[in-house]
Amino acid sequence: VQLQASGGGLVQAGGSLRLSCAASGSSLSIIVMGWYRQAPGKQRELVADIVRGDTNYANSVKGRFTISRDNTKNIAWLQMDSLKPEDTAIYYCAGSLSDGRRWESWGQGTQVTVSS
């Protein structure tokens, strides 16, 4: 399975961005889709994931970010609202072939920069 992330950019604090993750190959085998991020000098962290319509969010983004998925089009999105400078990071989409979230597939990453 190949994942292609897009939609990053530069935005002012309080603004919005929507990230997309397009899956190709054996994409129908992906059970869980997720978004991770990694800021400079920090570890990669899970931002949100979605499985069978159930969603999970990091506390730091709850109420501001929304993950969604269209299984028919093999696309997942991350709608990011009320962005803060601390959301600045490289965002990666990931796919897991099981509920165990082993994240076998990763996209290339897209930069999100939030200016104050």
Side-chain angles (χ1 to χ4, degrees):
V1 178
Q2 294 78 45
L3 301 177
Q4 180 77 31
S6 61
L10 173 64
V11 65
Q12 289 187 333
S16 298
L17 283 174
R18 188 173 82 154
L19 306 182
S20 299
C21 178
S24 60
S26 301
S27 55
L28 294 179
S29 61
I30 296 177
I31 302 300
V32 190
M33 291 289 291
W35 287 95
Y36 277 75
R37 67 185 180 187
Q38 187 167 20
K42 295 187 177 181
Q43 289 188 331
R44 189 174 296 190
E45 63 172 351
L46 177 66
V47 176
D49 64 30
I50 182 168
V51 52
R52 301 184 190 89
D54 291 332
T55 57
N56 173 55
Y57 296 94
N59 287 334
S60 59
V61 306
K62 280 182 180 178
R64 300 188 298 121
F65 290 12
T66 304
I67 188 171
S68 59
R69 180 180 180 183
D70 184 335
N71 291 327
T72 63
K73 297 180 180 179
N74 300 321
I75 298 176
W77 297 274
L78 184 69
Q79 176 67 39
M80 305 184 294
D81 300 317
S82 301
L83 282 161
K84 304 176 181 180
E86 51 263 43
D87 294 318
T88 295
I90 299 174
Y91 284 69
Y92 300 88
C93 63
S96 178
L97 302 180
S98 71
D99 289 354
R101 291 170 171 79
R102 294 186 178 182
W103 307 117
E104 295 88 350
S105 298
W106 289 86
Q108 83 285 6
T110 184
Q111 177 71 48
V112 172
T113 303
V114 184
S115 62
S116 58

